[in-house]
Amino acid sequence: NAGVTQTPKFRILKIGQSMTLQCTQDMNHNYMYWYRQDPGMGLKLIYYSVGAGITDKGEVPNGYNVSRSTTEDFPLRLELAAPSQTSVYFCASRTGTASNQPQHFGDGTRLSIL
Amino acid sequence: LAKTTQPISMDSYEGQEVNITCSHNNIATNDYITWYQQFPSQGPRFIIQGYKTKVTNEVASLFIPADRKSSTLSLPRVSLSDTAVYYCLVGLISSGSARQLTFGSGTQLTVLP
């Protein structure tokens, strides 16, 4: 089982560049999430989705956009990269069939903006 | 938001039992309490989840008092490989709900030989 797969694993961007962080899951989960984790800190929710075609903002959405055209994929886009977006980004998913099901996380994308 | 408070760090020795407590004073009626483990350069991994009283699985136990304003993760007989950051998470997201999941800063557990 692949679970939650994130690509790329590492990336360096210049200020003002744009990029898309990819996330795909093969567990047929309805709920998907994007978090960022700054050094020594906990995870902060950026965006989430409760199903294809439905997305909503989390705690720190500014500077990011998402889309959910399929159940499997939940890409995160940075339009104008800024140094403050240097972080590790985690994607997660969970089934929506029961409200207490835990999240499954990918291994993260380490992004540096210089 | 269901904020959580945990100790920043804890040290233990191999073979000891470790208890990590999380405070969540404004937990809502429908909230579950979930604990995750995170190793460096990896995503968080689910350990255990509960709603009330006590839950036990093959790796840990979770104790939740009647008022549910706190919870305690218990790791029996820890080993060096249990050195990690442990997060307590309270809440859930469902369609139409404005409530958000909140990860605290976690507890860095260091197991010493």
Side-chain angles (χ1 to χ4, degrees):
Chain A
N1 285 338
V4 178
T5 302
Q6 294 184 236
T7 56
K9 294 188 184 302
F10 305 92
R11 184 72 183 268
I12 298 175
L13 283 182
K14 294 182 179 179
I15 296 172
Q17 287 185 320
S18 62
M19 78 162 293
T20 299
L21 281 66
Q22 302 293 342
C23 176
T24 187
Q25 52 92 7
D26 62 358
M27 297 172 283
N28 201 32
H29 286 171
N30 289 327
Y31 288 51
M32 296 188 74
Y33 310 83
W34 274 107
Y35 294 89
R36 60 176 288 172
Q37 185 175 33
D38 298 332
M41 306 295 287
L43 284 77
K44 293 185 177 180
L45 183 63
I46 305 172
Y47 271 95
Y48 67 97
S49 169
V50 300
I54 306 170
T55 63
D56 208 346
K57 297 177 181 179
E59 184 182 1
V60 289
N62 291 343
Y64 307 94
N65 281 301
V66 294
S67 60
R68 185 91 183 274
S69 58
T70 67
T71 299
E72 294 78 19
D73 300 308
F74 190 39
L76 177 72
R77 182 153 180 88
L78 284 69
E79 291 292 350
L80 291 171
S84 61
Q85 293 177 306
T86 293
S87 190
V88 180
Y89 292 84
F90 290 102
C91 178
S93 73
R94 73 172 180 89
T95 180
T97 57
S99 60
N100 62 334
Q101 292 301 308
Q103 298 174 73
H104 299 258
F105 284 83
D107 284 334
T109 294
R110 285 145 188 82
L111 181 62
S112 294
I113 299 165
L114 307 175
Chain B
L1 295 176
K3 295 288 186 181
T4 60
T5 302
Q6 304 173 231
I8 294 174
S9 64
M10 296 181 67
D11 291 341
S12 181
Y13 290 97
E14 280 191 291
Q16 289 187 331
E17 178 184 70
V18 171
N19 296 310
I20 306 175
T21 297
C22 179
S23 173
H24 29 80
N25 290 323
N26 59 342
I27 187 170
T29 302
N30 293 332
D31 285 344
Y32 281 80
I33 301 158
T34 310
W35 285 80
Y36 291 85
Q37 176 191 55
Q38 186 179 29
F39 296 112
S41 302
Q42 294 185 21
R45 184 173 69 99
F46 170 79
I47 301 176
I48 197 167
Q49 183 179 67
Y51 184 79
K52 61 181 179 180
T53 62
K54 176 183 175 181
V55 178
T56 297
N57 62 22
E58 63 275 11
V59 297
S61 294
L62 180 60
F63 299 92
I64 305 169
D67 65 5
R68 302 197 334 118
K69 293 184 182 300
S70 67
S71 58
T72 299
L73 173 72
S74 180
L75 304 173
R77 301 166 60 102
V78 294
S79 64
L80 296 177
S81 62
D82 291 318
T83 294
V85 179
Y86 292 83
Y87 292 99
C88 162
L89 184 63
V90 174
L92 56 89
I93 293 177
S94 60
S95 179
S97 170
R99 296 192 65 252
Q100 299 174 4
L101 293 168
T102 301
F103 277 82
S105 297
T107 298
Q108 171 66 58
L109 172 66
T110 301
V111 180
L112 306 169

Short mmCIF file of all heavy atoms in Angstrom, two decimals, chain A residues 31 33 35 37 40-45 48 50 54 56-60 90 94 99-108 110, chain B residues 1 3 30 32 34 36 38 40-46 49 87 89 92-95 97-106:
data_model
loop_
_atom_site.label_atom_id
_atom_site.label_comp_id
_atom_site.label_asym_id
_atom_site.label_seq_id
_atom_site.Cartn_x
_atom_site.Cartn_y
_atom_site.Cartn_z
N TYR A 31 -11.53 12.79 2.98
CA TYR A 31 -10.98 13.96 3.62
C TYR A 31 -9.48 14.05 3.35
O TYR A 31 -8.76 13.07 3.53
CB TYR A 31 -11.19 13.91 5.13
CG TYR A 31 -12.62 14.13 5.59
CD1 TYR A 31 -13.67 13.41 5.04
CD2 TYR A 31 -12.92 15.04 6.58
CE1 TYR A 31 -14.97 13.61 5.46
CE2 TYR A 31 -14.21 15.25 7.01
CZ TYR A 31 -15.24 14.53 6.45
OH TYR A 31 -16.52 14.73 6.87
N TYR A 33 -5.94 16.93 3.72
CA TYR A 33 -5.49 18.10 4.45
C TYR A 33 -4.08 18.49 4.00
O TYR A 33 -3.28 17.63 3.63
CB TYR A 33 -5.41 17.79 5.96
CG TYR A 33 -6.63 17.17 6.56
CD1 TYR A 33 -6.86 15.80 6.48
CD2 TYR A 33 -7.57 17.95 7.24
CE1 TYR A 33 -7.99 15.23 7.05
CE2 TYR A 33 -8.70 17.38 7.80
CZ TYR A 33 -8.90 16.02 7.71
OH TYR A 33 -10.02 15.46 8.26
N TYR A 35 -0.85 20.65 5.73
CA TYR A 35 -0.29 21.32 6.89
C TYR A 35 1.10 21.85 6.54
O TYR A 35 1.77 21.33 5.65
CB TYR A 35 -0.09 20.34 8.05
CG TYR A 35 -1.35 19.77 8.65
CD1 TYR A 35 -1.91 18.60 8.15
CD2 TYR A 35 -1.94 20.36 9.76
CE1 TYR A 35 -3.05 18.06 8.72
CE2 TYR A 35 -3.08 19.82 10.34
CZ TYR A 35 -3.62 18.67 9.82
OH TYR A 35 -4.75 18.12 10.39
N GLN A 37 4.79 22.78 8.71
CA GLN A 37 5.46 22.64 9.99
C GLN A 37 6.78 23.40 9.94
O GLN A 37 7.70 23.04 9.23
CB GLN A 37 5.73 21.17 10.33
CG GLN A 37 6.32 20.96 11.71
CD GLN A 37 6.45 19.50 12.08
OE1 GLN A 37 6.71 18.65 11.22
NE2 GLN A 37 6.28 19.19 13.36
N GLY A 40 10.85 23.12 14.81
CA GLY A 40 10.57 23.07 16.25
C GLY A 40 9.14 23.37 16.63
O GLY A 40 8.84 23.51 17.81
N MET A 41 8.26 23.44 15.64
CA MET A 41 6.87 23.80 15.92
C MET A 41 5.94 22.66 15.56
O MET A 41 6.32 21.69 14.91
CB MET A 41 6.49 25.05 15.11
CG MET A 41 7.43 26.23 15.30
SD MET A 41 7.36 26.86 16.98
CE MET A 41 5.76 27.66 16.95
N GLY A 42 4.68 22.81 15.96
CA GLY A 42 3.66 21.85 15.59
C GLY A 42 3.15 22.12 14.18
O GLY A 42 3.65 22.99 13.47
N LEU A 43 2.17 21.35 13.77
CA LEU A 43 1.61 21.48 12.43
C LEU A 43 0.47 22.50 12.43
O LEU A 43 -0.36 22.50 13.33
CB LEU A 43 1.09 20.13 11.94
CG LEU A 43 2.12 19.11 11.50
CD1 LEU A 43 2.78 18.47 12.69
CD2 LEU A 43 1.47 18.06 10.62
N LYS A 44 0.45 23.31 11.38
CA LYS A 44 -0.64 24.27 11.21
C LYS A 44 -1.41 23.93 9.94
O LYS A 44 -0.80 23.72 8.88
CB LYS A 44 -0.09 25.70 11.14
CG LYS A 44 0.52 26.16 12.46
CD LYS A 44 0.93 27.62 12.39
CE LYS A 44 1.47 28.08 13.74
NZ LYS A 44 1.89 29.51 13.72
N LEU A 45 -2.72 23.93 10.03
CA LEU A 45 -3.57 23.55 8.92
C LEU A 45 -3.68 24.69 7.91
O LEU A 45 -4.04 25.81 8.26
CB LEU A 45 -4.95 23.16 9.44
CG LEU A 45 -5.97 22.66 8.44
CD1 LEU A 45 -5.48 21.36 7.80
CD2 LEU A 45 -7.32 22.47 9.09
N TYR A 48 -8.11 22.30 3.71
CA TYR A 48 -8.61 20.95 3.78
C TYR A 48 -9.74 20.75 2.78
O TYR A 48 -10.28 21.73 2.23
CB TYR A 48 -9.06 20.57 5.20
CG TYR A 48 -10.27 21.32 5.70
CD1 TYR A 48 -11.55 20.78 5.62
CD2 TYR A 48 -10.13 22.58 6.30
CE1 TYR A 48 -12.65 21.47 6.09
CE2 TYR A 48 -11.22 23.26 6.78
CZ TYR A 48 -12.48 22.70 6.69
OH TYR A 48 -13.57 23.38 7.16
N VAL A 50 -13.22 18.04 2.05
CA VAL A 50 -14.07 16.95 2.53
C VAL A 50 -14.56 16.07 1.40
O VAL A 50 -15.32 15.12 1.62
CB VAL A 50 -15.25 17.47 3.36
CG1 VAL A 50 -14.75 18.25 4.57
CG2 VAL A 50 -16.17 18.33 2.52
N ILE A 54 -14.76 20.16 -3.20
CA ILE A 54 -15.05 20.92 -1.99
C ILE A 54 -13.75 21.18 -1.23
O ILE A 54 -13.05 20.24 -0.83
CB ILE A 54 -16.01 20.16 -1.06
CG1 ILE A 54 -17.28 19.76 -1.80
CG2 ILE A 54 -16.36 21.02 0.16
CD1 ILE A 54 -18.17 18.81 -1.03
N ASP A 56 -11.76 24.10 1.71
CA ASP A 56 -12.00 25.17 2.67
C ASP A 56 -10.70 25.56 3.35
O ASP A 56 -9.74 24.77 3.40
CB ASP A 56 -13.02 24.76 3.72
CG ASP A 56 -13.78 25.98 4.27
OD1 ASP A 56 -13.33 27.12 4.05
OD2 ASP A 56 -14.81 25.78 4.94
N LYS A 57 -10.66 26.81 3.85
CA LYS A 57 -9.45 27.34 4.47
C LYS A 57 -9.26 26.78 5.87
O LYS A 57 -10.22 26.53 6.60
CB LYS A 57 -9.53 28.86 4.53
CG LYS A 57 -9.58 29.53 3.17
CD LYS A 57 -9.73 31.04 3.32
CE LYS A 57 -9.80 31.71 1.95
NZ LYS A 57 -9.96 33.18 2.05
N GLY A 58 -7.98 26.62 6.21
CA GLY A 58 -7.62 26.25 7.56
C GLY A 58 -7.14 27.45 8.33
O GLY A 58 -7.62 28.56 8.13
N GLU A 59 -6.14 27.25 9.17
CA GLU A 59 -5.64 28.30 10.06
C GLU A 59 -4.74 29.30 9.33
O GLU A 59 -4.77 30.50 9.64
CB GLU A 59 -4.87 27.65 11.20
CG GLU A 59 -4.37 28.58 12.27
CD GLU A 59 -3.57 27.85 13.34
OE1 GLU A 59 -3.41 26.61 13.22
OE2 GLU A 59 -3.09 28.50 14.28
N VAL A 60 -3.94 28.85 8.35
CA VAL A 60 -2.95 29.72 7.70
C VAL A 60 -3.03 29.61 6.18
O VAL A 60 -2.08 29.18 5.51
CB VAL A 60 -1.53 29.41 8.20
CG1 VAL A 60 -1.34 29.87 9.63
CG2 VAL A 60 -1.22 27.91 8.07
N PHE A 90 3.14 18.93 4.90
CA PHE A 90 2.60 17.58 5.02
C PHE A 90 1.18 17.51 4.49
O PHE A 90 0.36 18.38 4.79
CB PHE A 90 2.60 17.12 6.48
CG PHE A 90 3.96 16.85 7.04
CD1 PHE A 90 4.58 17.78 7.88
CD2 PHE A 90 4.63 15.68 6.74
CE1 PHE A 90 5.83 17.53 8.41
CE2 PHE A 90 5.89 15.43 7.27
CZ PHE A 90 6.48 16.36 8.09
N ARG A 94 -7.97 11.06 5.47
CA ARG A 94 -8.68 10.10 6.31
C ARG A 94 -10.01 9.78 5.68
O ARG A 94 -10.54 10.55 4.89
CB ARG A 94 -8.88 10.63 7.73
CG ARG A 94 -9.90 11.72 7.88
CD ARG A 94 -10.14 12.02 9.37
NE ARG A 94 -11.12 13.06 9.58
CZ ARG A 94 -12.43 12.86 9.68
NH1 ARG A 94 -12.94 11.65 9.58
NH2 ARG A 94 -13.24 13.87 9.89
N SER A 99 -16.52 9.82 12.02
CA SER A 99 -15.89 11.09 12.42
C SER A 99 -14.64 10.90 13.25
O SER A 99 -13.87 11.84 13.43
CB SER A 99 -16.89 11.93 13.20
OG SER A 99 -17.31 11.23 14.38
N ASN A 100 -14.40 9.70 13.78
CA ASN A 100 -13.25 9.53 14.65
C ASN A 100 -12.09 8.82 13.97
O ASN A 100 -11.17 8.37 14.62
CB ASN A 100 -13.65 8.75 15.89
CG ASN A 100 -14.16 7.35 15.54
OD1 ASN A 100 -14.65 7.14 14.44
ND2 ASN A 100 -14.05 6.42 16.45
N GLN A 101 -12.12 8.69 12.67
CA GLN A 101 -11.02 8.01 12.00
C GLN A 101 -9.78 8.90 11.96
O GLN A 101 -9.87 10.08 11.64
CB GLN A 101 -11.44 7.64 10.56
CG GLN A 101 -12.52 6.59 10.51
CD GLN A 101 -12.08 5.32 11.19
OE1 GLN A 101 -11.03 4.78 10.89
NE2 GLN A 101 -12.88 4.84 12.13
N PRO A 102 -8.58 8.35 12.27
CA PRO A 102 -7.37 9.17 12.30
C PRO A 102 -6.87 9.52 10.92
O PRO A 102 -7.26 8.90 9.92
CB PRO A 102 -6.37 8.26 13.02
CG PRO A 102 -6.83 6.88 12.71
CD PRO A 102 -8.33 6.96 12.66
N GLN A 103 -5.98 10.49 10.88
CA GLN A 103 -5.37 10.90 9.62
C GLN A 103 -4.14 10.07 9.30
O GLN A 103 -3.42 9.64 10.20
CB GLN A 103 -4.95 12.37 9.72
CG GLN A 103 -6.10 13.33 9.94
CD GLN A 103 -5.61 14.74 10.16
OE1 GLN A 103 -5.17 15.39 9.23
NE2 GLN A 103 -5.68 15.20 11.38
N HIS A 104 -3.90 9.88 8.02
CA HIS A 104 -2.70 9.22 7.53
C HIS A 104 -1.86 10.29 6.82
O HIS A 104 -2.36 10.98 5.94
CB HIS A 104 -3.05 8.11 6.54
CG HIS A 104 -3.88 7.03 7.15
ND1 HIS A 104 -3.35 5.82 7.55
CD2 HIS A 104 -5.20 6.98 7.44
CE1 HIS A 104 -4.33 5.07 8.05
NE2 HIS A 104 -5.45 5.75 7.99
N PHE A 105 -0.59 10.40 7.20
CA PHE A 105 0.26 11.46 6.69
C PHE A 105 1.26 10.93 5.67
O PHE A 105 1.73 9.78 5.75
CB PHE A 105 1.05 12.11 7.84
CG PHE A 105 0.23 13.03 8.69
CD1 PHE A 105 -0.56 12.53 9.71
CD2 PHE A 105 0.25 14.40 8.46
CE1 PHE A 105 -1.32 13.37 10.50
CE2 PHE A 105 -0.51 15.26 9.25
CZ PHE A 105 -1.29 14.75 10.26
N GLY A 106 1.62 11.82 4.73
CA GLY A 106 2.75 11.57 3.86
C GLY A 106 4.04 11.93 4.57
O GLY A 106 4.03 12.39 5.72
N ASP A 107 5.17 11.76 3.88
CA ASP A 107 6.47 12.02 4.50
C ASP A 107 6.94 13.46 4.31
O ASP A 107 8.06 13.79 4.72
CB ASP A 107 7.51 11.04 3.96
CG ASP A 107 7.37 9.66 4.59
OD1 ASP A 107 6.85 9.59 5.73
OD2 ASP A 107 7.76 8.68 3.96
N GLY A 108 6.16 14.27 3.67
CA GLY A 108 6.47 15.69 3.62
C GLY A 108 7.25 16.15 2.41
O GLY A 108 7.93 15.38 1.74
N ARG A 110 9.99 19.23 1.75
CA ARG A 110 10.81 20.26 2.39
C ARG A 110 11.09 21.36 1.38
O ARG A 110 11.75 21.13 0.38
CB ARG A 110 12.10 19.64 2.91
CG ARG A 110 11.86 18.84 4.17
CD ARG A 110 12.73 17.61 4.27
NE ARG A 110 12.32 16.80 5.40
CZ ARG A 110 11.29 15.93 5.38
NH1 ARG A 110 10.62 15.77 4.28
NH2 ARG A 110 10.98 15.25 6.46
N LEU B 1 -11.78 27.02 18.75
CA LEU B 1 -10.70 26.07 18.54
C LEU B 1 -10.42 25.31 19.83
O LEU B 1 -10.41 25.89 20.89
CB LEU B 1 -9.42 26.77 18.11
CG LEU B 1 -9.45 27.46 16.76
CD1 LEU B 1 -8.15 28.19 16.51
CD2 LEU B 1 -9.72 26.47 15.65
N LYS B 3 -7.84 24.18 21.75
CA LYS B 3 -6.41 24.28 21.96
C LYS B 3 -5.93 23.21 22.91
O LYS B 3 -6.65 22.80 23.83
CB LYS B 3 -6.07 25.66 22.53
CG LYS B 3 -6.36 26.81 21.57
CD LYS B 3 -5.39 26.84 20.44
CE LYS B 3 -5.60 28.09 19.58
NZ LYS B 3 -4.66 28.14 18.44
N ASN B 30 -18.46 16.54 20.81
CA ASN B 30 -18.23 15.55 19.76
C ASN B 30 -16.75 15.31 19.45
O ASN B 30 -16.43 14.53 18.56
CB ASN B 30 -18.91 16.00 18.46
CG ASN B 30 -20.41 15.99 18.59
OD1 ASN B 30 -20.98 15.24 19.37
ND2 ASN B 30 -21.07 16.87 17.86
N TYR B 32 -13.00 13.94 19.54
CA TYR B 32 -12.19 12.81 19.95
C TYR B 32 -10.78 13.31 20.27
O TYR B 32 -10.37 14.39 19.83
CB TYR B 32 -12.11 11.77 18.83
CG TYR B 32 -13.33 10.90 18.76
CD1 TYR B 32 -14.49 11.35 18.13
CD2 TYR B 32 -13.35 9.63 19.32
CE1 TYR B 32 -15.62 10.56 18.05
CE2 TYR B 32 -14.47 8.83 19.25
CZ TYR B 32 -15.60 9.30 18.62
OH TYR B 32 -16.72 8.52 18.57
N THR B 34 -6.84 12.38 19.95
CA THR B 34 -5.97 11.52 19.16
C THR B 34 -4.52 11.87 19.43
O THR B 34 -4.17 13.05 19.54
CB THR B 34 -6.25 11.71 17.66
OG1 THR B 34 -7.66 11.59 17.41
CG2 THR B 34 -5.53 10.66 16.83
N TYR B 36 -0.49 11.36 18.16
CA TYR B 36 0.38 11.01 17.05
C TYR B 36 1.84 11.03 17.52
O TYR B 36 2.20 11.75 18.44
CB TYR B 36 0.23 12.00 15.89
CG TYR B 36 -1.08 11.94 15.17
CD1 TYR B 36 -2.19 12.64 15.63
CD2 TYR B 36 -1.23 11.18 14.02
CE1 TYR B 36 -3.41 12.59 14.98
CE2 TYR B 36 -2.44 11.12 13.35
CZ TYR B 36 -3.53 11.82 13.84
OH TYR B 36 -4.72 11.76 13.19
N GLN B 38 5.83 11.49 15.95
CA GLN B 38 6.57 11.97 14.78
C GLN B 38 8.07 11.82 14.99
O GLN B 38 8.62 12.37 15.95
CB GLN B 38 6.23 13.43 14.46
CG GLN B 38 6.86 13.91 13.16
CD GLN B 38 6.52 15.34 12.81
OE1 GLN B 38 6.27 16.16 13.68
NE2 GLN B 38 6.52 15.64 11.52
N PRO B 40 11.96 12.46 13.25
CA PRO B 40 12.54 13.46 12.36
C PRO B 40 12.43 13.08 10.90
O PRO B 40 12.61 11.91 10.54
CB PRO B 40 14.01 13.51 12.82
CG PRO B 40 13.98 13.08 14.24
CD PRO B 40 12.89 12.05 14.33
N SER B 41 12.10 14.02 10.07
CA SER B 41 12.00 13.85 8.62
C SER B 41 10.88 12.89 8.20
O SER B 41 10.93 12.34 7.09
CB SER B 41 13.33 13.35 8.03
OG SER B 41 14.37 14.26 8.34
N GLN B 42 9.92 12.68 9.06
CA GLN B 42 8.77 11.85 8.71
C GLN B 42 7.47 12.57 9.08
O GLN B 42 7.46 13.48 9.91
CB GLN B 42 8.83 10.51 9.44
CG GLN B 42 9.98 9.62 9.03
CD GLN B 42 9.90 8.26 9.70
OE1 GLN B 42 8.84 7.83 10.16
NE2 GLN B 42 11.03 7.59 9.78
N GLY B 43 6.37 12.11 8.47
CA GLY B 43 5.08 12.63 8.85
C GLY B 43 4.61 12.01 10.15
O GLY B 43 5.07 10.93 10.55
N PRO B 44 3.67 12.65 10.84
CA PRO B 44 3.13 12.07 12.08
C PRO B 44 2.47 10.72 11.82
O PRO B 44 1.93 10.48 10.74
CB PRO B 44 2.09 13.11 12.52
CG PRO B 44 2.53 14.39 11.89
CD PRO B 44 3.13 13.99 10.58
N ARG B 45 2.54 9.87 12.82
CA ARG B 45 1.96 8.52 12.72
C ARG B 45 0.98 8.32 13.86
O ARG B 45 1.28 8.62 15.02
CB ARG B 45 3.06 7.48 12.79
CG ARG B 45 2.63 6.04 12.61
CD ARG B 45 3.85 5.13 12.53
NE ARG B 45 4.56 5.06 13.81
CZ ARG B 45 4.44 4.07 14.69
NH1 ARG B 45 3.60 3.08 14.44
NH2 ARG B 45 5.14 4.06 15.80
N PHE B 46 -0.20 7.81 13.55
CA PHE B 46 -1.26 7.60 14.53
C PHE B 46 -0.82 6.58 15.59
O PHE B 46 -0.25 5.54 15.28
CB PHE B 46 -2.51 7.08 13.82
CG PHE B 46 -3.59 6.60 14.75
CD1 PHE B 46 -4.42 7.50 15.39
CD2 PHE B 46 -3.78 5.24 14.97
CE1 PHE B 46 -5.43 7.06 16.23
CE2 PHE B 46 -4.78 4.79 15.81
CZ PHE B 46 -5.60 5.70 16.45
N GLN B 49 -6.39 6.62 19.92
CA GLN B 49 -7.48 7.59 19.95
C GLN B 49 -8.52 7.16 20.96
O GLN B 49 -8.74 5.95 21.16
CB GLN B 49 -8.13 7.69 18.56
CG GLN B 49 -9.22 8.73 18.44
CD GLN B 49 -9.79 8.77 17.03
OE1 GLN B 49 -10.43 7.82 16.59
NE2 GLN B 49 -9.55 9.85 16.32
N TYR B 87 2.27 14.29 19.74
CA TYR B 87 1.26 15.33 19.61
C TYR B 87 -0.10 14.84 20.09
O TYR B 87 -0.52 13.73 19.75
CB TYR B 87 1.10 15.77 18.16
CG TYR B 87 2.29 16.49 17.58
CD1 TYR B 87 3.21 15.81 16.80
CD2 TYR B 87 2.47 17.85 17.81
CE1 TYR B 87 4.30 16.48 16.26
CE2 TYR B 87 3.56 18.52 17.27
CZ TYR B 87 4.47 17.81 16.50
OH TYR B 87 5.54 18.49 15.97
N LEU B 89 -4.04 15.74 19.74
CA LEU B 89 -4.91 16.46 18.82
C LEU B 89 -6.35 16.28 19.23
O LEU B 89 -6.80 15.16 19.49
CB LEU B 89 -4.71 15.92 17.40
CG LEU B 89 -5.47 16.61 16.28
CD1 LEU B 89 -5.02 18.05 16.16
CD2 LEU B 89 -5.25 15.88 14.97
N LEU B 92 -12.31 17.66 15.20
CA LEU B 92 -12.54 17.01 13.92
C LEU B 92 -13.09 18.03 12.94
O LEU B 92 -13.50 19.11 13.33
CB LEU B 92 -13.53 15.84 14.08
CG LEU B 92 -14.90 16.17 14.69
CD1 LEU B 92 -15.89 16.58 13.62
CD2 LEU B 92 -15.45 14.97 15.43
N ILE B 93 -13.03 17.66 11.70
CA ILE B 93 -13.60 18.52 10.67
C ILE B 93 -14.66 17.74 9.92
O ILE B 93 -14.41 16.62 9.50
CB ILE B 93 -12.52 19.00 9.68
CG1 ILE B 93 -11.54 19.93 10.37
CG2 ILE B 93 -13.15 19.70 8.50
CD1 ILE B 93 -10.41 20.36 9.49
N SER B 94 -15.80 18.28 9.77
CA SER B 94 -16.82 17.64 8.94
C SER B 94 -17.44 18.69 8.04
O SER B 94 -17.29 19.88 8.27
CB SER B 94 -17.89 16.99 9.82
OG SER B 94 -18.52 17.96 10.62
N SER B 95 -18.08 18.24 7.02
CA SER B 95 -18.66 19.16 6.06
C SER B 95 -19.59 20.14 6.74
O SER B 95 -20.44 19.76 7.54
CB SER B 95 -19.43 18.36 5.00
OG SER B 95 -20.03 19.23 4.07
N SER B 97 -18.76 22.33 8.92
CA SER B 97 -18.28 22.77 10.23
C SER B 97 -17.14 23.75 10.06
O SER B 97 -16.28 23.58 9.23
CB SER B 97 -17.82 21.57 11.05
OG SER B 97 -17.14 22.00 12.22
N ALA B 98 -17.13 24.80 10.87
CA ALA B 98 -16.05 25.77 10.83
C ALA B 98 -14.95 25.44 11.83
O ALA B 98 -13.96 26.15 11.91
CB ALA B 98 -16.60 27.17 11.13
N ARG B 99 -15.10 24.36 12.56
CA ARG B 99 -14.10 24.04 13.57
C ARG B 99 -12.86 23.47 12.91
O ARG B 99 -12.93 22.85 11.85
CB ARG B 99 -14.69 23.06 14.57
CG ARG B 99 -15.85 23.63 15.35
CD ARG B 99 -16.24 22.79 16.53
NE ARG B 99 -15.18 22.73 17.51
CZ ARG B 99 -14.44 21.66 17.72
NH1 ARG B 99 -14.63 20.57 17.03
NH2 ARG B 99 -13.49 21.65 18.63
N GLN B 100 -11.75 23.65 13.51
CA GLN B 100 -10.49 23.27 12.90
C GLN B 100 -9.70 22.35 13.81
O GLN B 100 -9.81 22.39 15.01
CB GLN B 100 -9.66 24.52 12.61
CG GLN B 100 -10.33 25.48 11.65
CD GLN B 100 -9.54 26.76 11.50
OE1 GLN B 100 -8.47 26.90 12.06
NE2 GLN B 100 -10.07 27.68 10.74
N LEU B 101 -8.88 21.53 13.17
CA LEU B 101 -7.96 20.70 13.92
C LEU B 101 -6.76 21.54 14.33
O LEU B 101 -6.27 22.32 13.56
CB LEU B 101 -7.49 19.53 13.06
CG LEU B 101 -8.54 18.50 12.70
CD1 LEU B 101 -8.01 17.57 11.64
CD2 LEU B 101 -8.95 17.72 13.93
N THR B 102 -6.31 21.36 15.53
CA THR B 102 -5.17 22.12 16.02
C THR B 102 -4.14 21.18 16.60
O THR B 102 -4.43 20.44 17.54
CB THR B 102 -5.60 23.13 17.09
OG1 THR B 102 -6.58 24.01 16.54
CG2 THR B 102 -4.41 23.93 17.57
N PHE B 103 -2.95 21.20 16.03
CA PHE B 103 -1.81 20.51 16.63
C PHE B 103 -1.10 21.50 17.55
O PHE B 103 -0.80 22.60 17.14
CB PHE B 103 -0.83 20.05 15.56
CG PHE B 103 -1.18 18.76 14.89
CD1 PHE B 103 -2.09 18.73 13.86
CD2 PHE B 103 -0.59 17.58 15.29
CE1 PHE B 103 -2.41 17.54 13.23
CE2 PHE B 103 -0.90 16.38 14.67
CZ PHE B 103 -1.80 16.36 13.64
N GLY B 104 -0.78 21.08 18.76
CA GLY B 104 0.05 21.90 19.62
C GLY B 104 1.51 21.76 19.20
O GLY B 104 1.82 21.24 18.14
N SER B 105 2.40 22.22 20.04
CA SER B 105 3.83 22.14 19.73
C SER B 105 4.41 20.77 20.02
O SER B 105 5.54 20.48 19.65
CB SER B 105 4.61 23.19 20.52
OG SER B 105 4.21 24.48 20.15
N GLY B 106 3.63 19.90 20.68
CA GLY B 106 4.09 18.54 20.92
C GLY B 106 5.03 18.42 22.10
O GLY B 106 5.50 19.42 22.66
#
